[in-house]
Amino acid sequence: MCELSESASAGAPELLRRAEKLDAADELRALRDRFVLDDVVYLDGNSLGALPRHVPDRLADVVRREWGELRIRSWQESGWWTAPERIGDRIAPLLGAAPGQIVVGDSTSVNVFKALVAAVRLARQEQQGSGPRDEILVDATTFPTDGYIAGSAARMTGCTLRPVVPEEVPGALSGRTAAVLLNHVDYRTGRLHDLPSLTAAVHEAGAYAVWDLCHSAGALPVGLDEHGVALAVGCTYKFLNGGPGAPAFLYVRRALQDRFDSPLPGWTSHAEPFGMHATYVPAEGAVRGRVGTPDILSMLALEAALDVWDGVSVEAVRAKSLALTDFFLDCVAAYVPTGRVECVTPRAHEERGSQVALRCPDAGPVMERLIAAGVVGDFRHPHVLRFGFTPLYLRFADVERAARVLGRVLAGT
């Protein structure tokens, strides 16, 4: 059984003082009051964000008044019909996108399918030379669903599917490559991939990159417009705090919208949705990313949750995220017995998302003990302790406490 070293114990007062100073200087500290939180140290916002305080009252009004009293009239009078585009425009500044390019609805998986098939179709529209565009590259380290969807999209479009780790994508591109599906941040390790250079490489090869932003939206600047991203998707229940199962988003660059050919054309993306025509004619703009009737209750919960971002810059969030993760790593080094964990998250800021992953041989049982002790992170099979850092509501004192408790758990005390 390991014991905490004397140096680690001696470092506690200094780290506590450091946390106090960092919290006192934190320009985002007042945002914590906008959330429903308790005494638990919540480091799982990269799986499900905390509840913004005002959302229950907003949902109660939607249910009682908009649904209960106005009923069908709310599609127009309460703005239900335009919610997917309206909320998309609320998310756009957080991703570095101008209005009119993001639509909210469906799940991330569904939007990955739409974007990836559309990317293949776009590449084939522009096909040059004699060789066919018949290959899809997929991030070999991707979240499993993205891989499943990529496989289905490949079968549907007559493409072969080739898994490639992101850093090897430039060398794997060829005249056959139609589309590349990449994660901005690795969900296991927290590694941040180079979106600008990878996007440029893919487009230079005549293919289209589809970016999964699930672990970067609301955590760091993305720069969709600035970096020429064509297509992107992401969820809203992590760092955007939209609630369990909140609808995802789809970004289609404005210059491509008139050629975006969705494999799921639905009535709400029709140019005349209430014309009930037998022939599909796509609407203009990001609306073509819609499919069926919007899931209004979860969508309006998300819209309300986005109010916490009023007056908040993503750059300030990113600065605090890096400071939090740096401090956590310092605290882990001080409190955790030597050799018990290994950090698999890159130390370099330009390669780090807003989480820290620690390799630990008995990660599953360790996380159970951490949660029982009031520190909530999560476990990724087979040996990764994963801690997410949401700058909107996390304090440096929370970070110090989490590392201190981790040290005690791993020391067996």
Side-chain angles (χ1 to χ4, degrees), residues 91 94-95 184-185 212-222 233-241 249 309 314:
I91 293 172
L94 305 178
L95 303 177
H184 196 192
V185 175
D212 183 330
L213 307 178
C214 284
H215 287 272
S216 55
L220 53 90
V222 178
V233 304
C235 64
T236 62
Y237 49 78
K238 300 183 189 295
F239 294 105
L240 294 178
N241 309 295
F249 62 83
W309 286 91
V314 180

Side-chain angles (χ1 to χ4, degrees), residues 68-298:
E69 298 174 16
L70 296 178
R71 293 177 288 274
I72 196 72
R73 291 161 52 195
S74 276
W75 285 105
Q76 297 300 324
E77 295 181 25
S78 300
W80 289 1
W81 183 257
T82 57
E85 303 87 69
R86 183 178 71 245
I87 301 171
D89 284 347
R90 292 282 303 277
I91 293 172
L94 305 178
L95 303 177
Q101 299 177 100
I102 295 178
V103 65
V104 171
D106 304 310
S107 66
T108 305
S109 300
V110 172
N111 286 330
V112 167
F113 181 73
K114 287 186 247 179
L116 195 54
V117 173
V120 173
R121 292 174 175 176
L122 283 166
R124 287 175 174 171
Q125 289 172 15
E126 302 167 3
Q127 187 171 316
Q128 297 178 356
S130 58
R133 293 281 178 180
D134 61 359
E135 182 180 68
I136 295 174
L137 303 184
V138 63
D139 183 345
T141 61
T142 192
F143 188 76
T145 291
D146 282 17
Y148 306 155
I149 295 294
S152 178
R155 293 191 298 274
M156 178 178 177
T157 58
C159 289
T160 58
L161 183 69
R162 183 150 64 107
V164 180
V165 295
E167 54 267 31
E168 295 177 0
V169 164
L173 294 164
S174 72
R176 296 181 56 185
T177 309
V180 183
L181 177 59
L182 291 163
N183 289 270
H184 196 192
V185 175
D186 186 297
Y187 79 101
R188 279 180 298 248
T189 67
R191 175 179 290 277
L192 174 64
H193 297 301
D194 190 344
L195 180 147
S197 66
L198 287 171
T199 298
V202 172
H203 292 175
E204 179 67 24
Y208 281 87
V210 177
W211 283 97
D212 183 330
L213 307 178
C214 284
H215 287 272
S216 55
L220 53 90
V222 178
L224 291 177
D225 288 353
E226 176 187 357
H227 302 307
V229 172
L231 300 160
V233 304
C235 64
T236 62
Y237 49 78
K238 300 183 189 295
F239 294 105
L240 294 178
N241 309 295
F249 62 83
L250 168 67
Y251 167 88
V252 182
R253 190 170 183 82
R254 192 181 308 280
L256 300 174
Q257 289 175 357
D258 62 344
R259 293 185 291 124
F260 178 79
D261 184 7
S262 173
L264 296 174
W267 75 282
T268 70
S269 64
H270 196 284
E272 297 183 60
F274 295 97
M276 303 302 165
H277 301 290
T279 302
Y280 179 75
V281 178
E284 294 183 358
V287 177
R288 343 183 134 197
R290 293 176 59 156
V291 183
T293 304
D295 42 352
I296 290 299
L297 296 182
S298 60

